[in-house]
Structure formats: C-alpha cells, structure tokens
Amino acid sequence: MHIRTDGHDLRHHGDVEVRDQNLTDLAVNVRTGTPPDWLRERIAGSLSSLAAYPDGRAARAAVAARHGLPVERVLLTAGAAEAFVLIARALSVRRPFVVHPQFTEPEAALLDAGHTVGRVLLREEDGFRLDPGAVPEDADLVVVGNPTNPTSVLHPAADIVRLARPGRVLVVDEAFMDAVPGEREALAGRTDVPGLVVLRSLTKTWGLAGLRIGYVLAEPSTVAALERAQPLWPVSTPALTAAEACSEPAALAEAEAAALRIAADRAHLLAGLAEFDEVRAVDTAQGPFVLVRVDRADLVRERLRALGFAARRGDTFPGLGPQWLRLAVRDRVTTNRFLQALDQAVVYVSR
C-alpha cells in the first residue's frame, strides 16, 4: 500500500531503488560489510533454540543495562517501524505532529490508525535545524528524528527537550544515533524528560534490516501500553540474540569505531560534492548519509542508475521536492567512483 499526501509517497523506501538491480547502493542507509562475522555466528547459534517460544528477558535486560535503565523502561520491537505502529495505535492522542523532512513511516502509521496528522516543516534556508517554537502548543504527540533522516542534521538535545511538556508524548527517533561518534545529543537513557519516548534500531549499524530488531525506551506506563498492543512473541529468538549481542561492551566499542570511520568517509564525500557548482549538500550532516540538492535530480538519478549507482530520491519526503537526493556514506574508493559517475551524470543532463 502507498500512502500519498500532498504528492508524497510516504511508503516509498530506499530499498525499492536497489531491489532486483545490480547497482552500487547509495540509496539504503545500512552500513556495508555487515553483519560482522561474530554477530552472524551468534545469530546462527540461536537457531538450535527455535523449537522454544522466544524469551526476551535476557535481551531486554541487556538493552536496559546498555542505557543504564530499569527493564520496565525497555520494550523490544520488530524494528523501529513496529514501534511507530504501536505508538499510533496504543496511545490516546488527539493532535499529533511530525517534524519534517524526516522518515515518513511515523506519519504513515498515524494516518493508518485514523489520526489527522499535522506537519512542522523545517526550512532549507535554516539548514533544516529544529525550531522548537514552530511546534503548536496544543500538540499532544510530537515526532522528531535525531539525527534526522534524510537531512542528516543532528539537533541539540537541549532543543529537543524544549519540546517536552506535561500531557505531551515526545517521540525521538534515534535510529541513526549510534552512527554519531560519542552519541552526542542522545536522549536515550534520560529519565528526567516528561513524556519522552526514544526509539532505537539495530538494523542500520549492524546490517540487520532483514531480521527486524529495535526497541523503545520510555516511562514504564508507556512501555506497558505499547506492550499490550503487541502480538504475542513479536520478536524472534534470532532477533533477541542480536539485541543482546549488540548491547555488549565489545559491540558498543565496535559501533563507536564504525561511527568514527563514517565521519571521516562523510567528510570525504562532502569535500568531493563541494567541487560541483551544480550540487549543494547539507554540509552540517552528522549521520551516515548526506542530502544534496541538484537541478533535474530525477534525470541525474536515472543517469546514475545507468552508470551503476542507486541514489535515494528525495521528493517522497514532505518538505522536499524533486531536486533532492539522499546519498549513503560509503568507503572512499566507492565514493570516488560515485563522484566520477556524478560528474558524468551532471554533464549528461545539462546538455
């Protein structure tokens, strides 16, 4: 099903750009070369337990310990996408707002649940930075990403906290926060912010999109309400094993090292993009992807496909138009090949 509002296909995701195609993937934000061998082995080892029903206690405790929280504040989900559906269906809200441009699944889930959804559109001229004052006071649910997909902007935690108030649910999608060195500006682990709900995903950094594993961090009453809306045994045994493994100190150290490499590779990509007069990037990017503006982006994207590269179209994100593309950060060799292809594509389209 495709949900279109104001011409934006809210159910279009980057995997469509590469499905059944032999292309170098810059459209999906999953880290390449993942999952690592040690994680594959841990997951494979769980297969001997498939005859038993999943038991999430160890994984839940591991996630809680990773963030310094009691287990009552943790809910494991089949990816962050399930969490958006649970929030839309289980919480009693009247005036939900989504801060755009951002991942479109929260709005799609709210619409599916019968809500009328308001939008707060961040502006290019402001660098897509969050303005807490732009959110209506009577909004009783606010969704914001940090760092935000697709802009790659990392909002100061203090600005996001300014959105919190009694009677409001503040949902912060931190699916890409573990790709930020030091996870600076993270709110995961905070218990002093009223109504805070933090969502995390293990699919991006660890290459587990096909396994579906994520989690919610929130007040115990909110966790209980969301849990009641879940089906029985919503997270499989292999996914629970992955959640436990990825919360261990060695895994966190590996994720931090990967975040530092991503930061260096992103700087290389941004430096290359700065050489193009025709391309303007959101150069404050802090996530594992970069948003760029280029004239006739649809034709540039198609030419890139012909040259072997998949880029994510930007026009499906509310607040963006057809001149935008999102590019996943890759290693320097891949980026250099892409920049050569981009040069060819821009020249070809400008003829």
Side-chain angles (χ1 to χ4, degrees):
M1 180 179 67
H2 295 268
I3 297 177
R4 295 182 181 273
T5 58
D6 299 338
H8 297 285
D9 183 354
L10 300 182
R11 283 278 159 77
H12 180 91
H13 299 302
D15 61 307
V16 176
E17 311 281 353
V18 293
R19 191 177 296 162
D20 303 322
Q21 300 289 327
N22 185 23
L23 300 171
T24 297
D25 179 12
L26 276 68
V28 177
N29 292 323
V30 173
R31 184 164 63 97
T32 56
T34 54
D37 289 342
W38 66 265
L39 183 54
R40 293 176 191 267
E41 292 169 4
R42 289 281 291 271
I43 294 170
S46 74
L47 299 182
S48 61
S49 304
L50 292 185
Y53 285 97
D55 182 349
R57 288 177 296 176
R60 190 177 185 184
V63 170
R66 180 251 197 272
H67 291 289
L69 295 171
V71 293
E72 294 80 10
R73 282 183 166 266
V74 177
L75 180 67
L76 302 174
T77 59
E82 187 205 6
F84 291 125
V85 173
L86 296 176
I87 290 166
R89 295 180 179 179
L91 302 185
S92 298
V93 297
R94 302 180 316 279
R95 285 271 285 163
F97 275 77
V98 178
V99 178
H100 286 291
Q102 83 141 24
F103 185 50
T104 53
E105 198 61 32
E107 181 169 325
L110 287 163
L111 291 171
D112 279 345
H115 295 284
T116 299
V117 184
R119 292 176 175 173
V120 175
L121 299 180
L122 305 184
R123 306 190 308 165
E124 178 189 2
E125 51 266 41
D126 296 331
F128 296 110
R129 290 186 294 270
L130 176 66
D131 175 9
V135 177
E137 274 297 319
D138 63 347
D140 58 0
L141 183 145
V142 179
V143 183
V144 61
N146 203 34
T148 299
N149 173 20
T151 64
S152 205
V153 171
L154 182 66
H155 305 295
D159 287 349
I160 296 179
V161 168
R162 285 176 57 196
L163 294 173
R165 55 202 23 57
R168 171 183 289 177
V169 178
L170 173 58
V171 179
V172 184
D173 176 8
E174 292 188 352
F176 295 99
M177 187 61 79
D178 59 356
V180 177
E183 295 195 2
R184 63 188 190 279
E185 312 303 342
L187 292 175
R190 293 277 295 270
T191 60
D192 60 326
V193 182
L196 177 65
V197 178
V198 174
L199 307 185
R200 286 287 182 109
S201 169
L202 298 177
T203 65
K204 314 300 184 184
T205 288
W206 296 110
L208 299 175
L211 196 60
R212 310 308 308 140
I213 178 64
Y215 52 88
V216 178
L217 307 173
E219 297 168 356
S221 60
T222 301
V223 166
L226 299 179
E227 190 171 18
R228 285 193 296 269
Q230 280 186 310
L232 291 173
W233 311 290
V235 182
S236 70
T237 296
L240 292 171
T241 297
E244 186 176 358
C246 294
S247 299
E248 295 172 352
L252 299 180
E254 184 174 324
E256 176 68 10
L260 292 170
R261 288 194 301 272
I262 289 168
D265 290 340
R266 183 182 59 244
H268 182 70
L269 172 61
L270 287 170
L273 293 171
E275 298 296 319
F276 289 83
D277 293 334
E278 304 89 349
V279 177
R280 184 165 69 254
V282 179
D283 58 8
T284 56
Q286 296 294 321
F289 46 88
V290 172
L291 184 67
V292 301
R293 180 172 186 152
V294 56
D295 288 340
R296 306 175 76 183
D298 54 340
L299 298 180
V300 170
R301 184 172 62 89
E302 288 304 315
R303 188 59 184 169
L304 285 171
R305 291 181 70 84
L307 294 169
F309 290 87
R312 171 64 158 89
R313 57 190 287 195
D315 62 333
T316 63
F317 294 99
L320 300 181
Q323 69 274 39
W324 294 96
L325 297 174
R326 191 192 69 197
L327 307 172
V329 173
R330 299 297 186 224
D331 62 90
R332 292 190 176 207
V333 172
T334 302
T335 292
N336 289 343
R337 290 196 299 111
F338 165 73
L339 291 170
Q340 291 175 348
L342 179 62
D343 185 47
Q344 294 178 48
V346 168
V347 170
Y348 179 86
V349 168
S350 63
R351 288 175 180 170

